Amino acid sequence: MNKNSEKRICQNCKKDFIIEPDDFGFYEKIKVPAPTFCPECRMIRRFSFQNTWNLNWRNCDRCGNRIISVYDSETKITVYCLNCWWSDIWDGSEYTMDYDPSRPFLDQVKELIDKTPYSSLQNDHVTLKNSDYSNYIGWSKDCYLVFWADFCDNVFYSSILNTLRYSSDCLRAQDSELCYESINIDKCYQTFFSEECDSCVNVWFCRNCYGCINCFGCANLHGASNCILNVKYSKEKYIKKLKEFKVNSWQKLQELKQKAQDFWITKPRREYAGNSLNFNVTGEYIYESKNSRNLYICDGAEDCKWTQLITVKTARDCMDYSGWGNNSSRIYECINVGENTNSIYFSCFVWEGSMDMQYCYWCMFGKDNFGCVNLKRKQYCILNKQYTKEEYKKLRDKIIEDMKINPYVDKLSRKFFYGEFFPLEFSKFSYNKSNAMRFFPKTKEQALAEGYSWSDKPDTIHETTIEADFLPDTIEKTNENILNEIIRCLNCNRGYKITKGEFDLLHKMNLPLPHECSKCRENRRFSRLNLPKLYKRICAKCKKEINTAFAPGRPEIIYCESCYNKEVY
């Protein structure tokens, strides 16, 4: 194993990056060369291959039905509805290709990528019930416009979830119920307009509270009850004050939200967000993980590095892995791989117990496949063609050697030898419609200069029937006729509707109708998240240097973990 750190120059951004001795050890263990892109460029490249949040209308290319899809009608590929794609009437072996050693192997994979049929949505279709308008979701029922979620029930307009029930407008929520407009919550019940709360019940506008009951506008409290702005009240006085706040009024909620956030900013934050059940980790939004570095939104990561969006435990011994875990191990340079998967490299959308696969794209229930696309339940395949075990291993080894001397060269002359993820131009999504735009915003000029594509297609504009300004201030004053209206968003002027399930849930919570469309609400929640980038900063208390997602110059008070624990616990 290489015992020294080594500085390399990223062939994409041309900046220096460091490969550590442990990194070399990982590459040697899985028998792949070191990467030529820096960690951030690798992450952005992977994110550009997924579109979680932008849905479009188009027709199924098999049955002809009108469907919701992550691919717009202008994308020149074959798209099947979920029923057709998951059916047994085809399995991908209809598109076999023979390996041509005179051509770069990735060029041949691209040919398969361009001609095989795709699932309209990135869903575990057979595990879903009544959740047709959600994407990247599994094991859920009665969900509407829910994204990146598992094990959810009666949830609306929410993202990055694991086991959320009867809730709406939440972001990164787990094991919680009856929650609204909350971010980064775990094991919470009746939690509203709150952030970074764990094991709380009936809290409003709280941040970083643990085990709290009946609290309002609080920050950094543990085991507290009947508190308002961190001040303790009797139970009777707390209930009286809560009634005075009139949280059933839309107008009052806007005032209370600003007051709470002004209070939050006066209280210190830990250098990273997450719970206290971590050991030897760095990154942001980390939960119950250990011995891992540079994580982002990870729950149950062990011995991982440069890993993001592990939303179902666990992920072990992984690097450069972007979603989603669920008992996966030894995953390298992959996006959207999970559920009992092992030894998957340089791949996208490989699910359901797949093992020992490289350069695969939309493959399910597979083992020992190399360079396959939209293939189901197959073993020992290359370019979707079936081989014997001996033939497969011999040809796979030859292709790997060929890739080392005959790389794919993209339109910007970047070379993709064996050991690199797919080239940027293989993605079926324009940059501004992909997950990359959500976490790494770029201008059109920047994206095009870096080799990404861009969509100038405007959003669909619907005729509206009522202005948001004219909505009733409380849900009690709102009748079901509102379900027939198309409301003009207070922020962007897009039209939006209230669904029956959402209306019933708001009635149950005694909360007013939203005055903004679901897209504006989603964007506002995401704006509250830190992005997957760490900065050097000084602890505001002890002055030691720390790595944090809070950029220097931001107004938050940031403590190192030690100082934070001393003050808060």
Side-chain angles (χ1 to χ4, degrees):
M1 181 173 72
N2 191 320
K3 297 185 183 300
N4 299 312
S5 298
E6 193 172 310
K7 183 184 293 186
R8 301 280 180 93
I9 298 175
C10 174
Q11 72 157 323
N12 183 56
C13 68
K14 310 305 179 186
K15 296 179 182 177
D16 292 344
F17 69 101
I18 302 296
I19 301 178
E20 303 287 354
D22 287 347
D23 300 339
F24 282 115
F26 180 83
Y27 304 140
E28 290 174 14
K29 179 170 59 179
I30 66 172
K31 297 181 173 60
V32 302
T36 65
F37 278 44
C38 69
E40 183 170 294
C41 287
R42 300 196 301 266
M43 191 191 319
I44 296 172
R45 178 175 55 179
R46 291 192 303 275
F47 280 25
S48 74
F49 277 73
Q50 186 171 13
N51 166 22
T52 299
W53 289 280
N54 293 287
L55 303 182
N56 311 270
W57 287 106
R58 66 177 291 159
N59 293 330
C60 172
D61 289 313
R62 189 172 186 97
C63 69
N65 289 339
R66 190 153 173 77
I67 55 173
I68 289 287
S69 174
V70 294
Y71 309 100
D72 65 34
S73 57
E74 297 174 0
T75 304
K76 305 301 181 186
I77 58 172
T78 300
V79 176
Y80 288 177
C81 68
L82 292 170
N83 286 334
C84 288
W85 195 91
W86 285 87
S87 73
D88 292 330
I89 57 179
W90 73 285
D91 62 14
S93 60
E94 302 86 349
Y95 302 90
T96 59
M97 292 173 56
D98 291 311
Y99 173 58
D100 180 356
S102 69
R103 296 170 58 195
F105 178 69
L106 288 181
D107 189 43
Q108 298 169 69
V109 175
K110 186 176 187 300
E111 187 176 333
L112 264 184
I113 288 173
D114 290 341
K115 71 181 184 181
T116 52
Y118 288 83
S119 171
S120 58
L121 296 169
Q122 300 154 346
N123 291 347
D124 196 350
H125 176 57
V126 296
T127 68
L128 298 175
K129 180 180 179 181
N130 191 30
S131 300
D132 297 340
Y133 296 90
S134 296
N135 185 43
Y136 195 36
I137 181 173
W139 305 98
S140 298
K141 67 176 183 178
D142 300 323
C143 292
Y144 182 75
L145 290 183
V146 167
F147 304 94
W148 201 301
D150 288 281
F151 311 108
C152 291
D153 181 358
N154 279 274
V155 178
F156 306 86
Y157 312 110
S158 300
S159 296
I160 312 180
L161 316 171
N162 182 353
T163 315
L164 182 66
R165 301 178 71 245
Y166 295 94
S167 299
S168 186
D169 290 78
C170 291
L171 175 59
R172 212 223 63 84
Q174 179 167 306
D175 296 323
S176 297
E177 185 173 348
L178 282 175
C179 298
Y180 187 75
E181 274 285 9
S182 291
I183 304 170
N184 295 321
I185 57 171
D186 192 2
K187 301 178 183 67
C188 288
Y189 181 77
Q190 291 185 331
T191 296
F192 309 105
F193 306 97
S194 296
E195 300 179 14
E196 289 295 332
C197 288
D198 192 325
S199 304
C200 291
V201 177
N202 197 20
V203 300
W204 296 76
F205 300 105
C206 289
R207 180 184 66 76
N208 193 42
C209 289
Y210 179 84
C212 295
I213 301 174
N214 298 333
C215 288
F216 191 100
C218 296
N220 296 354
L221 294 187
H222 289 227
S225 62
N226 303 316
C227 292
I228 300 173
L229 298 177
N230 286 22
V231 177
K232 176 76 173 176
Y233 289 81
S234 68
K235 181 178 180 179
E236 295 73 20
K237 191 165 185 179
Y238 175 85
I239 293 172
K240 180 182 177 182
K241 294 279 288 184
L242 188 62
K243 288 180 180 178
E244 293 172 358
F245 287 141
K246 297 181 179 179
V247 291
N248 64 331
S249 159
W250 184 84
Q251 190 64 48
K252 286 291 185 181
L253 285 174
Q254 310 318 301
E255 299 170 7
L256 293 167
K257 183 188 301 181
Q258 188 59 55
K259 184 176 182 179
Q261 291 180 0
D262 289 345
F263 177 73
W264 293 354
I265 205 73
T266 67
K267 302 298 179 183
R269 295 173 181 255
R270 184 172 49 189
E271 60 185 291
Y272 74 88
N275 63 19
S276 59
L277 303 176
N278 298 304
F279 174 76
N280 190 29
V281 299
T282 65
E284 184 73 340
Y285 308 120
I286 312 171
Y287 306 86
E288 296 175 39
S289 298
K290 64 181 181 180
N291 300 325
S292 297
R293 292 286 181 269
N294 302 102
L295 304 180
Y296 182 74
I297 307 183
C298 285
D299 185 10
E302 300 178 13
D303 301 306
C304 294
K305 190 173 184 181
W306 303 113
T307 295
Q308 308 85 36
L309 294 162
I310 303 303
T311 49
V312 182
K313 298 173 184 174
T314 55
R316 296 184 178 93
D317 200 21
C318 302
M319 187 180 289
D320 290 297
Y321 175 27
S322 302
W324 79 99
N326 199 359
N327 192 33
S328 292
S329 59
R330 202 164 288 191
I331 312 297
Y332 175 59
E333 270 283 30
C334 290
I335 185 167
N336 205 326
V337 169
E339 197 158 331
N340 303 310
T341 53
N342 177 267
S343 298
I344 314 294
Y345 313 147
F346 328 116
S347 297
C348 305
F349 309 105
V350 176
W351 303 351
E352 312 279 5
S354 296
M355 299 175 63
D356 297 304
M357 299 173 67
Q358 299 186 41
Y359 290 106
C360 288
Y361 200 110
W362 267 105
C363 293
M364 309 294 162
F365 311 101
K367 295 181 181 179
D368 300 288
N369 295 321
F370 193 93
C372 294
V373 184
N374 283 299
L375 188 68
K376 298 181 283 186
R377 301 179 182 87
K378 295 295 180 180
Q379 186 174 17
Y380 303 128
C381 292
I382 296 174
L383 296 173
N384 287 26
K385 182 176 179 179
Q386 184 75 61
Y387 293 89
T388 66
K389 180 178 180 180
E390 293 73 21
E391 290 170 336
Y392 169 81
K393 289 186 175 181
K394 182 178 179 180
L395 181 55
R396 180 199 61 190
D397 293 346
K398 173 178 168 47
I399 292 171
I400 289 173
E401 292 306 311
D402 288 349
M403 292 178 73
K404 293 177 181 178
I405 59 176
N406 187 20
Y408 180 90
V409 182
D410 73 4
K411 58 189 177 184
L412 295 183
S413 299
R414 292 170 293 207
K415 295 180 179 179
F416 292 81
F417 295 92
Y418 174 72
E420 289 292 336
F421 186 74
F422 297 113
L424 284 58
E425 57 206 42
F426 285 24
S427 174
K428 295 303 177 185
F429 305 111
S430 56
Y431 191 89
N432 55 321
K433 300 298 182 181
S434 75
N435 289 6
M437 188 68 173
R438 171 72 71 189
F439 296 100
F440 297 92
K442 295 183 188 291
T443 64
K444 177 180 179 179
E445 293 71 26
Q446 287 173 324
L448 293 176
E450 294 174 22
Y452 297 100
S453 61
W454 191 270
S455 173
D456 290 315
K457 184 178 179 180
D459 292 334
T460 302
I461 302 298
H462 300 282
E463 290 291 327
T464 57
T465 59
I466 186 174
E467 302 285 336
D469 279 335
F470 297 139
L471 292 175
D473 191 50
T474 66
I475 197 70
E476 295 98 327
K477 297 178 181 178
T478 310
N479 61 47
E480 285 199 17
N481 290 335
I482 195 66
L483 303 181
N484 302 319
E485 304 284 0
I486 302 176
I487 307 165
R488 185 188 297 274
C489 173
L490 196 63
N491 184 51
C492 72
N493 295 324
R494 273 190 292 247
Y496 68 101
K497 295 199 71 174
I498 303 298
T499 67
K500 180 65 165 62
E502 175 188 11
F503 183 81
D504 291 344
L505 184 62
L506 290 171
H507 254 289
K508 187 173 185 176
M509 296 177 173
N510 196 24
L511 290 171
L513 297 180
H515 286 42
E516 296 173 309
C517 69
S518 62
K519 183 60 69 174
C520 284
R521 300 188 324 255
E522 173 187 275
N523 290 340
R524 174 163 40 78
R525 287 191 295 276
F526 270 97
S527 74
R528 301 286 304 172
L529 277 189
N530 287 328
L531 296 178
K533 187 177 181 68
L534 297 180
Y535 303 89
K536 298 290 185 184
R537 187 163 169 164
I538 303 300
C539 170
K541 193 170 185 69
C542 72
K543 309 305 179 185
K544 83 171 186 179
E545 188 176 76
I546 55 177
N547 289 313
T548 179
F550 295 91
R554 283 181 54 168
E556 294 92 346
I557 303 167
I558 308 301
Y559 283 5
C560 69
E561 185 167 16
S562 176
C563 290
Y564 179 86
N565 289 341
K566 289 176 183 176
E567 176 151 331
V568 173
Y569 289 94

